[in-house]
Amino acid sequence: MKTGKEDLRVIKTKQNIRSAFMELMKKQPLEKIRVNDICDKALCSRNTFYQHYIDKYELFEQICLECIAELDTAFSVENMDITVNNTLGYGRDIIFAVETKKEEMKNLLLYDDRGYLRNQLYTAAVQKCFEGSLLLAGNNNIDKTEIALNCHYLVSGIIGFVMYWLQFTDLSADEAATLLAKVNSPVAEYSMSLLGDYV
Protein backbone atom coordinates (compact mmCIF):
# COMPACT_ATOMS: atom_id res chain seq x y z
CA MET A 1 0.00 0.00 0.00
CA LYS A 2 2.81 2.41 0.79
CA THR A 3 4.10 2.12 -2.77
CA GLY A 4 0.74 3.30 -4.13
CA LYS A 5 0.79 6.36 -1.87
CA GLU A 6 4.32 7.22 -2.96
CA ASP A 7 3.34 6.87 -6.61
CA LEU A 8 0.30 9.06 -6.06
CA ARG A 9 2.45 11.70 -4.33
CA VAL A 10 4.94 11.66 -7.18
CA ILE A 11 2.14 12.06 -9.71
CA LYS A 12 0.61 14.91 -7.73
CA THR A 13 3.99 16.63 -7.29
CA LYS A 14 4.73 16.43 -11.02
CA GLN A 15 1.25 17.79 -11.81
CA ASN A 16 1.83 20.71 -9.44
CA ILE A 17 5.24 21.45 -10.96
CA ARG A 18 3.81 21.23 -14.47
CA SER A 19 0.82 23.46 -13.63
CA ALA A 20 3.05 26.03 -11.96
CA PHE A 21 5.39 26.03 -14.95
CA MET A 22 2.52 26.48 -17.42
CA GLU A 23 1.12 29.36 -15.35
CA LEU A 24 4.51 31.05 -15.48
CA MET A 25 4.79 30.37 -19.24
CA LYS A 26 1.65 32.46 -19.78
CA LYS A 27 3.46 35.49 -18.42
CA GLN A 28 7.11 35.27 -19.36
CA PRO A 29 9.64 33.61 -21.66
CA LEU A 30 11.21 30.30 -20.71
CA GLU A 31 14.59 32.00 -20.38
CA LYS A 32 13.29 34.27 -17.60
CA ILE A 33 11.58 31.55 -15.55
CA ARG A 34 13.69 30.37 -12.65
CA VAL A 35 13.43 27.00 -10.93
CA ASN A 36 12.79 28.93 -7.70
CA ASP A 37 9.74 30.57 -9.34
CA ILE A 38 8.39 27.17 -10.37
CA CYS A 39 8.97 25.72 -6.89
CA ASP A 40 7.34 28.70 -5.15
CA LYS A 41 4.26 28.39 -7.31
CA ALA A 42 4.17 24.56 -7.02
CA LEU A 43 4.73 24.67 -3.26
CA CYS A 44 7.69 22.33 -3.42
CA SER A 45 11.40 22.53 -2.69
CA ARG A 46 14.19 22.81 -5.26
CA ASN A 47 15.33 19.34 -4.18
CA THR A 48 11.90 17.96 -5.05
CA PHE A 49 12.03 19.66 -8.45
CA TYR A 50 15.47 18.20 -9.18
CA GLN A 51 14.33 14.72 -8.18
CA HIS A 52 12.02 14.79 -11.20
CA TYR A 53 13.72 17.10 -13.73
CA ILE A 54 17.31 17.97 -14.63
CA ASP A 55 16.33 21.59 -15.28
CA LYS A 56 13.51 23.75 -16.59
CA TYR A 57 14.40 22.81 -20.17
CA GLU A 58 13.81 19.13 -19.51
CA LEU A 59 10.45 20.02 -17.94
CA PHE A 60 9.58 22.10 -21.00
CA GLU A 61 10.62 19.31 -23.37
CA GLN A 62 8.63 16.68 -21.46
CA ILE A 63 5.50 18.84 -21.62
CA CYS A 64 6.05 19.34 -25.37
CA LEU A 65 6.51 15.60 -25.94
CA GLU A 66 3.35 14.84 -23.94
CA CYS A 67 1.39 17.27 -26.13
CA ILE A 68 2.76 15.65 -29.27
CA ALA A 69 2.02 12.14 -27.98
CA GLU A 70 -1.60 13.14 -27.42
CA LEU A 71 -1.78 14.32 -31.05
CA ASP A 72 -0.20 11.11 -32.37
CA THR A 73 -3.40 9.54 -33.72
CA ALA A 74 -4.31 12.66 -35.67
CA PHE A 75 -1.01 12.49 -37.58
CA SER A 76 -1.58 8.92 -38.75
CA VAL A 77 -2.75 8.42 -42.33
CA GLU A 78 -2.64 4.63 -42.39
CA ASN A 79 -6.39 4.09 -41.84
CA MET A 80 -7.44 6.77 -44.30
CA ASP A 81 -9.29 5.99 -47.52
CA ILE A 82 -7.56 7.44 -50.57
CA THR A 83 -10.08 10.09 -51.52
CA VAL A 84 -9.75 13.86 -51.67
CA ASN A 85 -12.29 14.32 -48.87
CA ASN A 86 -10.44 11.98 -46.53
CA THR A 87 -7.07 13.50 -47.41
CA LEU A 88 -8.54 16.91 -46.55
CA GLY A 89 -9.91 15.31 -43.39
CA TYR A 90 -6.30 14.62 -42.37
CA GLY A 91 -5.75 18.34 -41.74
CA ARG A 92 -9.13 18.63 -40.07
CA ASP A 93 -8.28 15.78 -37.66
CA ILE A 94 -5.06 17.57 -36.71
CA ILE A 95 -6.87 20.88 -36.12
CA PHE A 96 -9.42 19.23 -33.81
CA ALA A 97 -6.71 17.27 -31.97
CA VAL A 98 -4.75 20.49 -31.41
CA GLU A 99 -7.94 22.20 -30.23
CA THR A 100 -7.97 19.89 -27.17
CA LYS A 101 -4.51 21.22 -26.19
CA LYS A 102 -4.91 24.71 -27.67
CA GLU A 103 -4.13 26.91 -24.66
CA GLU A 104 -1.24 24.75 -23.51
CA MET A 105 0.32 24.63 -26.98
CA LYS A 106 -0.26 28.35 -27.49
CA ASN A 107 1.64 29.14 -24.28
CA LEU A 108 4.43 26.71 -25.15
CA LEU A 109 4.79 28.19 -28.64
CA LEU A 110 4.66 31.78 -27.47
CA TYR A 111 7.96 31.55 -25.64
CA ASP A 112 9.64 28.66 -27.44
CA ASP A 113 12.53 30.65 -28.88
CA ARG A 114 14.46 27.46 -29.63
CA GLY A 115 11.63 26.05 -31.77
CA TYR A 116 11.61 22.77 -29.85
CA LEU A 117 7.85 22.15 -29.96
CA ARG A 118 7.57 23.03 -33.64
CA ASN A 119 10.50 20.80 -34.58
CA GLN A 120 9.25 17.84 -32.55
CA LEU A 121 5.72 18.27 -33.88
CA TYR A 122 7.01 18.42 -37.45
CA THR A 123 9.23 15.35 -37.02
CA ALA A 124 6.44 13.28 -35.46
CA ALA A 125 3.91 14.30 -38.11
CA VAL A 126 6.24 13.60 -41.05
CA GLN A 127 7.12 10.19 -39.65
CA LYS A 128 3.46 9.24 -39.17
CA CYS A 129 2.51 10.56 -42.60
CA PHE A 130 5.37 8.70 -44.30
CA GLU A 131 4.80 5.41 -42.47
CA GLY A 132 1.07 5.57 -43.14
CA SER A 133 1.60 6.41 -46.81
CA LEU A 134 3.91 3.42 -47.22
CA LEU A 135 1.34 1.16 -45.56
CA LEU A 136 -1.41 2.47 -47.83
CA ALA A 137 0.72 1.96 -50.92
CA GLY A 138 1.72 -1.56 -49.91
CA ASN A 139 5.04 -3.03 -50.96
CA ASN A 140 4.69 -2.13 -54.61
CA ASN A 141 7.58 -0.50 -56.41
CA ILE A 142 6.93 2.74 -54.62
CA ASP A 143 8.98 5.87 -55.13
CA LYS A 144 9.87 6.53 -51.49
CA THR A 145 11.57 9.81 -52.36
CA GLU A 146 8.41 11.17 -53.94
CA ILE A 147 6.30 9.96 -51.00
CA ALA A 148 8.76 11.50 -48.50
CA LEU A 149 8.82 14.83 -50.34
CA ASN A 150 5.04 14.87 -50.50
CA CYS A 151 4.80 14.14 -46.76
CA HIS A 152 7.28 16.89 -45.89
CA TYR A 153 5.44 19.38 -48.08
CA LEU A 154 2.01 18.39 -46.74
CA VAL A 155 3.08 18.40 -43.11
CA SER A 156 5.11 21.62 -43.27
CA GLY A 157 2.06 23.42 -44.67
CA ILE A 158 -0.27 21.98 -42.05
CA ILE A 159 2.13 22.63 -39.16
CA GLY A 160 2.77 26.19 -40.36
CA PHE A 161 -0.97 26.76 -40.64
CA VAL A 162 -1.61 25.33 -37.16
CA MET A 163 1.16 27.40 -35.58
CA TYR A 164 -0.15 30.62 -37.12
CA TRP A 165 -3.73 29.73 -36.18
CA LEU A 166 -2.75 29.14 -32.55
CA GLN A 167 -0.60 32.22 -32.15
CA PHE A 168 -2.19 34.93 -34.25
CA THR A 169 -5.88 34.30 -34.92
CA ASP A 170 -9.16 33.99 -33.09
CA LEU A 171 -10.59 31.46 -35.55
CA SER A 172 -12.56 28.58 -34.07
CA ALA A 173 -11.45 25.03 -34.81
CA ASP A 174 -14.29 24.71 -37.35
CA GLU A 175 -13.27 27.92 -39.13
CA ALA A 176 -9.60 26.92 -39.13
CA ALA A 177 -10.38 23.41 -40.42
CA THR A 178 -12.56 24.81 -43.23
CA LEU A 179 -9.87 27.28 -44.27
CA LEU A 180 -7.16 24.62 -44.11
CA ALA A 181 -9.25 22.38 -46.37
CA LYS A 182 -9.50 25.19 -48.95
CA VAL A 183 -5.79 26.00 -48.82
CA ASN A 184 -4.73 22.37 -48.80
CA SER A 185 -7.02 21.13 -51.59
CA PRO A 186 -4.42 21.01 -54.41
CA VAL A 187 -1.93 19.16 -52.20
CA ALA A 188 -4.63 16.74 -51.11
CA GLU A 189 -5.50 15.99 -54.72
CA TYR A 190 -1.86 15.37 -55.55
CA SER A 191 -1.42 13.14 -52.48
CA MET A 192 -4.45 11.15 -53.52
CA SER A 193 -3.15 10.66 -57.06
CA LEU A 194 0.33 9.78 -55.81
CA LEU A 195 -0.88 7.12 -53.43
CA GLY A 196 -3.63 6.08 -55.83
CA ASP A 197 -0.93 4.94 -58.25
CA TYR A 198 0.08 2.26 -55.76
CA VAL A 199 -3.14 1.09 -54.12
Side-chain angles (χ1 to χ4, degrees), residues 125-147:
V126 166
Q127 181 180 350
K128 278 294 197 179
C129 182
F130 184 71
E131 290 170 357
S133 296
L134 292 179
L135 281 172
L136 285 170
N139 288 327
N140 301 326
N141 281 332
I142 188 167
D143 183 347
K144 289 183 181 176
T145 301
E146 191 172 7
I147 297 290

Side-chain angles (χ1 to χ4, degrees), residues 9-21:
R9 274 186 265 165
V10 168
I11 291 167
K12 183 68 173 153
T13 299
K14 283 184 168 185
Q15 286 174 342
N16 287 345
I17 291 171
R18 179 187 169 127
S19 295
F21 180 74

Side-chain angles (χ1 to χ4, degrees), residues 74-88:
F75 293 132
S76 181
V77 296
E78 61 202 51
N79 298 320
M80 197 170 66
D81 293 332
I82 304 299
T83 66
V84 174
N85 286 338
N86 283 331
T87 307
L88 292 174

Side-chain angles (χ1 to χ4, degrees), residues 15-33:
Q15 286 174 342
N16 287 345
I17 291 171
R18 179 187 169 127
S19 295
F21 180 74
M22 291 307 297
E23 279 298 312
L24 292 166
M25 284 289 292
K26 290 179 184 177
K27 299 173 183 149
Q28 58 190 329
L30 176 61
E31 300 301 324
K32 292 193 177 189
I33 296 173

Side-chain angles (χ1 to χ4, degrees), residues 44-66:
C44 71
S45 69
R46 286 175 56 88
N47 285 342
T48 300
F49 178 90
Y50 288 117
Q51 285 175 351
H52 302 292
Y53 306 101
I54 294 170
D55 56 23
K56 65 184 179 182
Y57 299 104
E58 182 186 35
L59 171 59
F60 177 81
E61 289 171 7
Q62 281 190 14
I63 292 171
C64 289
L65 291 174
E66 288 169 17

Side-chain angles (χ1 to χ4, degrees), residues 51-169:
Q51 285 175 351
H52 302 292
Y53 306 101
I54 294 170
D55 56 23
K56 65 184 179 182
Y57 299 104
E58 182 186 35
L59 171 59
F60 177 81
E61 289 171 7
Q62 281 190 14
I63 292 171
C64 289
L65 291 174
E66 288 169 17
C67 282
I68 292 166
E70 291 181 28
L71 302 176
D72 191 55
T73 304
F75 293 132
S76 181
V77 296
E78 61 202 51
N79 298 320
M80 197 170 66
D81 293 332
I82 304 299
T83 66
V84 174
N85 286 338
N86 283 331
T87 307
L88 292 174
Y90 178 66
R92 184 176 191 81
D93 290 347
I94 291 171
I95 291 284
F96 283 102
V98 168
E99 174 71 14
T100 65
K101 306 291 288 175
K102 186 176 182 179
E103 286 308 309
E104 190 169 18
M105 288 185 71
K106 192 174 183 176
N107 291 331
L108 291 170
L109 287 167
L110 186 61
Y111 293 117
D112 182 15
D113 296 335
R114 300 177 307 149
Y116 183 82
L117 178 59
R118 183 186 180 99
N119 292 339
Q120 292 298 316
L121 194 57
Y122 178 82
T123 300
V126 166
Q127 181 180 350
K128 278 294 197 179
C129 182
F130 184 71
E131 290 170 357
S133 296
L134 292 179
L135 281 172
L136 285 170
N139 288 327
N140 301 326
N141 281 332
I142 188 167
D143 183 347
K144 289 183 181 176
T145 301
E146 191 172 7
I147 297 290
L149 288 169
N150 182 63
C151 288
H152 278 273
Y153 185 81
L154 175 67
V155 168
S156 64
I158 291 173
I159 297 297
F161 182 97
V162 167
M163 297 301 157
Y164 192 87
W165 167 59
L166 285 174
Q167 291 181 278
F168 303 111
T169 76

